[in-house]
Structure formats: C-alpha cells, structure tokens
Amino acid sequence: MASCFCGDTVDVCKAPAAAQGSKDALIASSDPRHPANLICSLCKLFYYNNWVTGTGGGISIKHPETGHIYIAPSGVQKEQLKPEHMFVMDPVSKGYLRTPELYKPSACTPLFMSCYTQRGAGAVIHTHSQHAVMCSLIFENEFRIANIEQIKAIPSGQKDPATGKDINLSFFDTLVIPIIDNTAHEEDLTDGLQEALQKYPGATAVIVRRHGIYVWGPTVDKAKVYNEAIDYLLEVACKMRQLGIPSDCGIGEEKKYLT
Amino acid sequence: MASCFCGDTVDVCKAPAAAQGSKDALIASSDPRHPANLICSLCKLFYYNNWVTGTGGGISIKHPETGHIYIAPSGVQKEQLKPEHMFVMDPVSKGYLRTPELYKPSACTPLFMSCYTQRGAGAVIHTHSQHAVMCSLIFENEFRIANIEQIKAIPSGQKDPATGKDINLSFFDTLVIPIIDNTAHEEDLTDGLQEALQKYPGATAVIVRRHGIYVWGPTVDKAKVYNEAIDYLLEVACKMRQLGIPSDCGIGEEKKYLT
Amino acid sequence: MASCFCGDTVDVCKAPAAAQGSKDALIASSDPRHPANLICSLCKLFYYNNWVTGTGGGISIKHPETGHIYIAPSGVQKEQLKPEHMFVMDPVSKGYLRTPELYKPSACTPLFMSCYTQRGAGAVIHTHSQHAVMCSLIFENEFRIANIEQIKAIPSGQKDPATGKDINLSFFDTLVIPIIDNTAHEEDLTDGLQEALQKYPGATAVIVRRHGIYVWGPTVDKAKVYNEAIDYLLEVACKMRQLGIPSDCGIGEEKKYLT
Amino acid sequence: MASCFCGDTVDVCKAPAAAQGSKDALIASSDPRHPANLICSLCKLFYYNNWVTGTGGGISIKHPETGHIYIAPSGVQKEQLKPEHMFVMDPVSKGYLRTPELYKPSACTPLFMSCYTQRGAGAVIHTHSQHAVMCSLIFENEFRIANIEQIKAIPSGQKDPATGKDINLSFFDTLVIPIIDNTAHEEDLTDGLQEALQKYPGATAVIVRRHGIYVWGPTVDKAKVYNEAIDYLLEVACKMRQLGIPSDCGIGEEKKYLT
C-alpha cells in the first residue's frame, strides 16, 4: 500500500505540467505536502484501506498559510485524483477561487465547513469505513470504548492551560463518539452534525449511521492520525462484540462475557 | 496495491515494443486509458483484491471511439496480462479482428456480448468475489440490501428525462441483484443471464451462485465503480448476517436482531 | 502487493552483479522467468499473502531446460530472498551443483523431491496458509469442497487421451485434498506425503495438519495457479463453516444449514 | 506492501542529503541495513500490517558494530519516519548522542532498555497488533498455543551447549507468552515487564493487556521474524477461539470442541 506513495510521487511530478495558467497556481506545487498533492496521496491510501472505494468518502484540507480550503470533487474515483481536480474555496467569502472542469463540488462541503467554522479544523476526513458502519448498527446513539491503549491517540477535548495544547484521552478514559442518523442527501446531514458538535464539544469525530464517519483535527496530520486510531478502535469493538465483550467494559470484566 | 499502477506503468511502456505489425496497432498504445492497457491495470488491481486469483474472472472493454470489443483471454494469470494477450472483436460482425497466439477466447465472451447488446454496456467485469459467493449461499434468488449510503453509487435503472443521465439509487432504496444458478460450462450461463437482464431491466449486475458476479456499466469507469460499490455492499451484508441483522431491514430495526 | 514486482525488478537487476564466478552462472540471469529470479518474486508475493511470514514455507522450481532443481534455503526471510541464496540440485545425482554460503538446505527438500519423482512436478510450493491450518482442524483426513466455480482451476488427475493434457475438475465435482498429520521434523513428513501421493493419485496438493500445505504442478505457473485456487477454496470453506454450511453440501442444500 | 521497500529506497536516498553535520554521521548511511534506515523501512512494513497505525507502537535497534541504540521518536506517523528523526543513545552512559529536533523520546524507551540490559537484545519491536489485544482479552495471564508448525520459529530459551545457539521450540511444545496488565503511562510498564522477564527467562515477547506486544531478539532480523511468527500464532489462536478450540489443545482433541 506504500505504493500509494509511488503512485503519489507520479501525480506530484505530473502536477506542475498539468497545472497551467494563473488560477492553477492554486494547485500547482512540487511539494508533496501541498494540500492539492496531499489530498491525492491520502485518497490513494484511504482507497487501499477500503475506506473510499466506489467513489465513496471525501476529504478537505485548509492550506496552513493561505487558509484556502481544498476540497476533493464529488463522485470521483478517489485513488485517481489529481491536483487539477481540486476545488479551492475562499475561507472568508466561501466563494470558489478555483472550480475544476467537469466536476461537481463535494456534497460533503457544508459538513466540512461546519468542522472548519465550529471546530477550527485544519482538515476533515470522511470515509465509508465498514467498521464505522457496523458499529453504527451495534450501538445506539454513542460509540463507546474504554481501556484500550490506542485511545490515547485521541484528544479529550481538554487543553493544557499552560501550553494550550490538546490533552489526549488516557488509557482509563472512555472514548465516546456520537452517532447521528443518515439523511437522503449528504448536505442535509449538516444540522445533525452541528447539533452533535454542540452536544459533544470534545468530539473529534461523528459517526453517521449506515453511512460512515467524519473525522477532523487541527492539522491534516492530526486528522489522519485520529482517523486511523478511531478506525482501529472501531475494528477492535467489532471483534470484541463477536466475543460478546462490551467495548467499554471494565478491565478484568471481559472474562465474564466470554462464552 | 497502488503498486498495481507501478506494475501497470511498466506494462504500458513495454506495450509498444511488444506490439509489432499491422494487426497489433489494435493493442499498441502509450495511453494508459487504451482498453488494451486498462484491462491489464484493472486485472492487476482485481487480483490484489482477491477477485481474480487462480486465473478466475474476466473483463471486457468496448473502445469508446472504435467500438472494438477488447477481451482478456481465458485461463491466464490476470495480474500478468499484457496488451498483446488481448482478443479484439468487431462489434458488428462479431468476428475477431485480433487473436493472440497461444490463448483461448474467454468462456465469458457470450455473457459479455449479452451485456453489450442487451444493455448497451461499455465494459463488463466478472469476478470470483468471495463476498458474492457467500451472499449467493445466504440469499435465495435475489440479493437485497437497503439503507446503506454506499447504495447511492449504484444506478436505479431510471434515467433523468431532462438530461438522459442515469439516476442512482437513494439511501432509502433497496438494491436488488438477481442471483442465477451456475452451469457446468460458463457459456451456458448466457440463457440465465439474458433472462435476468429481461426480468431485472434496472440491474447493473448479476450474481452467479457459487461462482461470482458480473457487473457492467455504460463506461469502464462506471463498471469499475459499480463493481467496487457492490462488493462493498456484499461484504457489509455478510457482516450484518454474522450479527443476525437482515441486510434489507428497516432503519432502527437492526437492534431487534442483535443477539 | 504488486509492489512485490517492483521489489523483484530490483532483485533481478542486482542478480547479475551479485552473481560472480562460474558456479553462479547457475543463478545469474536477467530473465525474470529464470527459476533463481522467479523464486524471489514468488516468495515476495507469498509473503504479502501471509503464507510465508516468519521464515515459514518454501518453494522449489525445476529449470524447464536444464532440469536443475532450484530450492530456496531454510529459515530465511522469504520476502528478502536473492538469486545468490539458492541451492541448485542435479536431478539425476541428487547432488548439489550450488550451495550458497551461510545457508542450510530447506527441510522441505525430501518432500519437494517426492513431488518431482512421484509426480513429475515442475515446481512445488509449500506455504503456512492459515486457511490450510484452520481446515486441517475442521476436517478429519480429507478436505472436501464441491460445487464452487473456482474448483475448475484444479486438475482432476485425468488426462485427455487425445491431447494428453490435464483435465480439470468440473463445477459439479468434489475437490478432495488429503490431510496428513504433522511430524516433529519436516523431513519426517516424507513417508506420510508419499503414502498420500499413492493413495490419491489425482491429488495436486497435500494439507499437513496444524502446519500448512504442499501444492505442485507440471510447471511453476500451474503450481502457482493451483495454490491460489486451493487457498481461495480453503478460505471459502472456512467461511461456509462459520455459516454452518458443509463445504461439500449439494447445490440448494445450503439453506437447510443456515441458522 | 513490498512497496514499503520502494518507499524505503526513497528514504535511504534522501538520508545522506538530509543528514548534515557531524552529529548526523550517526544516521547518514546509504546502507539500507543501517539501523537509521532499517527502522524506517520496518515501520513502513509494520504500518501496512496495521500494527503501528495512528502513531502506535515503536521500535529500537542496537547498531551491531558501535552498540549505539537507535530509537524511533514518540507520537510520529511510523510510515513516514526518516533517518533524521532518530534518537541515538549511548549504551553505557544511557545519554543521548543524538536528539532530533521537534521530537520527544519514545515512552517505550525504558522498556526497550530493559530488553537490552536483561536480555542482551539486539532489537525490540513494539506493536499495537489487534491479534495481541484480542488474545489479551481472551487469555488470563499467559497466552498459550501448542502443536502448530509456526511455533518452531520461536526460541525455547534453551541454548545448544555445543554451538551456544538458541534452540527453537519444537512442534510438540507449547509456546507461552506472559500477559502483563497495562498502566496509565507506558514508562510505568517497566516494572511489570521486568518481573515478566525474570519469571519467564525463556520468553522472547510480552503481551500488554488491551495494549499490544513487545518482541525482542538477539538481532533485528530475529526480532522481526519472532514478531511475525508470534502475530501469525496470535491470529490463529483467535480463529481457533471462534471455532471453540483451545489454542493449546492436544493434537486430535480439536474435533471434540467443534460445535
């Protein structure tokens, strides 16, 4: 799967060639860390994780310097994205600075914007993770898992008063991710998402029942890490369920549930 | 798996060298999107998805300009296909314009042709997906799944009267894929497939019991997307079955089935 | 995983450089199909299939022209094999024509030789496939699976009297693979394997209980295809078992077993 | 996944360029086997095995000539490690010879040191393997598995009096891996680990409940092989549990447990 990065290198090399004209200065960069290139390499990685197959899912990254918001288009094969396919939005006017030919804006756009405005996110990842879908069938309105080391990769919502840095969950904490119901049209999820953002001020992710998950973070690297750690925990929760063990059961309690 | 694309690049580069003589103009192209090259890269991808191992499965693409029908040969290692291995058929005379040395035509050919003629397909993908095989053991004559976001990647069979474009299923719809029984010889599946095509005019796929699945679309990109989305849904259905949840159960009904 | 082939290309390129002196003419070739190179690329592929991790498994290929028998050494990391690591044996004298420094001959060698002498094999693949191990726990002395399309990739043991070619199993046939008990030392498996070869003259594979599987064929390509198809069928059998369906149950009988 | 090695090659090439100044002589090498390069390629491999996603896990290698201890930093994306990110510690003074900018030392450092000092390890691998986590929920204080061929890749703790070499477990042996309880802070695991090292003088691994596993060996190659073989066995044990078969049950006893 690292070959995503092979593939990605190819895209990056092509990008400048493919990006002509003034508008395309927004997406033409030889820096693999540029949002227009990073969206391509991350989507490849997500594709090979079975998170965004069949054109599912989406991603948006805010340029750390310019504040421009980069968004992958709707209904495209995510593993084949190229920088010139990107939408670029002005964070203030919410107008598009760049609109690729032939593509429609992502239906996730209003949800991405909610994470940017209500959470000050630096990036938002949306996948159709099967672990998220299965957990949304198993759990009612909250996904809960406790006492698993990987939880420590997820922020608690608290900040260190001294440094102002996020404080992550501890091993003995319970990770709670709200689950909202799906709607016919993705943009209609916005209300449910915004409610969840208000009700769970510490949450860094929202599961959409029978649909997938939205994960965000202050930077694209953190959003990627949170998404990986949460997906790992969703998978562990599914496996615990198969053994009859509640994913938030106390340490040492698990043996009582083993059949 | 993106390394499929590494590998593919190699094949593409080799292709012109490998393709000598007038007939081979049909398969010699440096364009990775040329059917002769695309069949190779897609088969690599499918191989690493465990869809076409052991020489299983097959694929055919109609050239969007010439209308020539490209078909991978029978009984070959799909991940090792090269452009010079392709059969090329004239869409009108149904005669072969190109026959590779040493290879037999695919036993899937009559089924591919049925999709081209009865459905105006632009490409047909046949895999031995284990999710399709398992669902064919679980379900009687129809695979059914409802209220999962990924369903929205699949066409409903309806067309937008204004644009003439396919209208996809909505989240609240039920995806129905007919399941036909397998036969001793693949070519004998043609009758069953053609019946299913008539009985399910909106279907874009047919599952063959204890065998695999055929998926088609108006373009190879759409056929690939439909195949990925359907395989995702077949996998989710198998996982729902493990939890005791019917894959077409109503939203909110799932908890009643959890044991 | 195709990146195996990236990696492999590297090995192949290195091979001539790495192979100095007269003896090494046996393993120095720029042809990726040369047994010394093919063993390396296949072992990479098998590694990423989880078949030969932890130095497990082994492989041997008979050179189609010279008849020399190439064998990967014992206890090495299979994904890191290089041509210069190969043992080369004379098929007549059974003496080693080439012995790599620092390496021990594979403990599988006598079993490989049994397949060469008793079956006229062109190559033998031994993996620690978990599907083979699990089936060896589920089944008594024979693995049996019926009425699955992938069976058609496996030879029946019969030959076409006209062409002399292997006749493969049909969809309605039952694939039977003998299961022999494991021994403390791999070389002691030889008796059990030879008995199985005599008792099952049509078999192209033998499962070793709690250990793995040996698969062979008249050519390395066929051995690879048989190994892939059999592993696919072992995996399907494990999944059928999870649903309560006997893997050799009749078509249409499966629904009776579904719980 | 071999594409890890593609990616790795890239890192290795970059390394010398990236490594400027005297201190960086510790990590600048064009040899892929140099600890600073090997940690990068192994972490890529582990990432694509789902062992170190979400910045989980860690690794340390002792340079075979200099004895310098190389340690990956804390909380980084393991698949993106570069040689210049490495901490280098003096084995005698335990002082850092090299401290990368912006990175924190791994919280695993005291645990790595325990393996170096109490076991004379040459390398230590720590993963968040889900198979280890699941087995830590299933088993009380010891993971036990018997009579599986892959056990033979694991050392018994005995040494051959003649050669002084490690003697591995035999097929009929039982592999026992101690399970210790997790703590709030990784460094606080040290006491539990040291106790386990004393109580299980033959152990080459310790499972940390609801957390992951530590595996070490006299060389990095052996540590890698032990880690692969143990993970394979943990996975097999989970699958045996699904069938109701105790992973340490006697040969031939398994059928009694099949439901």
Side-chain angles (χ1 to χ4, degrees), chain C residues 195-218:
Chain C
E195 273 174 47
L197 292 178
Q198 280 153 28
K199 189 171 169 196
Y200 296 85
T204 195
V206 169
I207 294 169
V208 183
R209 199 180 319 275
R210 295 169 164 270
H211 179 157
I213 188 165
Y214 281 81
V215 181
W216 59 88

Side-chain angles (χ1 to χ4, degrees), chain C residues 1 3-4 6 47-48 50 53-56 77 79-80 128-130 133-134 136-140 182-186 209-211 241-242, chain D residues 1-3 5-6 45 146-150 152-153 171-172 221 224-225 228 232 235-236 239-240 242-243 245 249-251 254-255 258-259:
Chain C
M1 235 161 40
S3 45
C4 304
C6 303
Y47 177 81
Y48 295 105
N50 203 24
T53 56
T55 75
Q77 298 183 66
E79 79 282 11
Q80 295 177 22
H128 285 186
S129 161
Q130 289 194 10
V133 170
M134 297 316 295
S136 79
L137 294 170
I138 295 168
F139 291 82
E140 290 284 359
N182 199 26
T183 54
H185 303 291
E186 196 136 19
R209 199 180 319 275
R210 295 169 164 270
H211 179 157
R241 182 75 176 59
Q242 282 187 318
Chain D
M1 234 160 39
S3 45
F5 298 95
C6 305
L45 177 63
N147 312 311
I148 302 289
E149 180 72 5
Q150 195 70 46
K152 291 165 64 176
F171 172 68
F172 296 113
D221 285 333
K224 171 179 176 290
V225 166
E228 284 177 3
Y232 172 104
E235 185 176 5
V236 166
K239 291 177 176 176
M240 291 177 76
Q242 282 186 318
L243 290 171
I245 304 172
C249 88
I251 298 169
E254 58 273 358
K255 302 295 182 300
L258 285 175
T259 46

Side-chain angles (χ1 to χ4, degrees), chain D residues 150-239:
Chain D
Q150 195 70 46
I151 290 172
K152 291 165 64 176
I154 312 298
S156 65
Q158 310 300 315
K159 285 183 183 299
D160 182 318
T163 64
K165 283 188 179 168
D166 290 323
I167 298 174
N168 279 8
L169 291 167
S170 86
F171 172 68
F172 296 113
D173 289 333
T174 299
L175 169 66
V176 178
I177 300 176
I179 302 174
I180 65 174
D181 285 317
N182 200 26
T183 54
H185 303 292
E186 196 135 19
E187 47 272 36
D188 300 338
L189 279 172
T190 315
D191 294 351
L193 176 67
Q194 292 186 345
E195 272 174 46
L197 292 177
Q198 280 153 27
K199 188 170 170 198
Y200 296 85
T204 195
V206 169
I207 294 168
V208 183
R209 198 179 319 276
R210 295 170 164 270
H211 179 157
I213 188 165
Y214 281 81
V215 181
W216 59 88
T219 65
V220 62
D221 285 333
K222 287 198 168 173
K224 171 179 176 290
V225 166
Y226 299 163
N227 182 57
E228 284 177 3
I230 289 169
D231 205 69
Y232 172 104
L233 290 161
L234 293 165
E235 185 176 5
V236 166
C238 290
K239 291 177 176 176

Side-chain angles (χ1 to χ4, degrees), chain A residues 11-234:
Chain A
D11 288 348
V12 173
C13 302
K14 283 196 194 141
Q20 307 299 349
S22 59
K23 275 230 190 75
D24 280 334
L26 287 166
I27 53 97
S29 168
S30 58
D31 177 6
R33 298 279 310 162
H34 185 285
N37 294 329
L38 206 47
I39 285 176
C40 299
S41 54
L42 287 173
C43 283
K44 278 207 185 62
L45 177 63
F46 297 165
Y47 177 81
Y48 295 104
N49 282 352
N50 202 25
W51 288 340
V52 298
T53 55
T55 75
I59 180 168
S60 174
I61 300 176
K62 174 179 263 185
H63 193 298
E65 283 92 44
T66 65
H68 293 149
I69 292 166
Y70 289 74
I71 310 170
S74 173
V76 298
Q77 298 184 66
K78 295 292 183 297
E79 79 283 12
Q80 295 178 23
L81 274 175
K82 297 201 182 324
E84 56 268 31
H85 301 157
M86 299 302 146
F87 285 84
V88 184
M89 184 182 277
D90 180 276
V92 182
S93 70
K94 308 282 188 293
Y96 286 110
L97 300 173
R98 182 181 194 280
T99 305
E101 284 173 28
L102 308 172
Y103 292 105
K104 292 205 310 276
S106 171
C108 308
T109 304
L111 293 96
F112 292 152
M113 296 313 291
S114 302
C115 297
Y116 285 123
T117 51
Q118 287 184 248
R119 283 292 213 266
V124 190
I125 295 166
H126 168 49
T127 79
H128 286 187
S129 162
Q130 289 194 10
H131 305 308
V133 170
M134 295 317 293
C135 284
S136 79
L137 294 171
I138 295 168
F139 290 84
E140 290 284 358
N141 298 320
E142 290 180 346
F143 168 75
R144 300 172 64 86
I145 190 164
N147 311 311
I148 301 290
E149 180 71 6
Q150 195 71 45
I151 290 172
K152 291 165 63 177
I154 311 298
S156 65
Q158 310 301 315
K159 284 184 183 300
D160 182 319
T163 64
K165 281 187 180 169
D166 289 324
I167 298 174
N168 279 8
L169 292 167
S170 87
F171 172 67
F172 296 113
D173 288 334
T174 299
L175 169 65
V176 178
I177 300 176
I179 302 173
I180 65 174
D181 284 316
N182 200 26
T183 54
H185 303 292
E186 196 135 20
E187 48 272 37
D188 300 339
L189 279 172
T190 314
D191 293 351
L193 177 67
Q194 292 186 347
E195 271 174 46
L197 292 177
Q198 280 153 28
K199 187 170 170 199
Y200 296 84
T204 196
V206 169
I207 293 169
V208 183
R209 198 179 321 275
R210 296 171 163 269
H211 179 157
I213 188 166
Y214 281 81
V215 181
W216 58 88
T219 65
V220 61
D221 285 333
K222 286 197 168 174
K224 171 178 176 290
V225 166
Y226 299 161
N227 182 56
E228 284 177 4
I230 288 169
D231 205 69
Y232 172 105
L233 290 162
L234 293 166

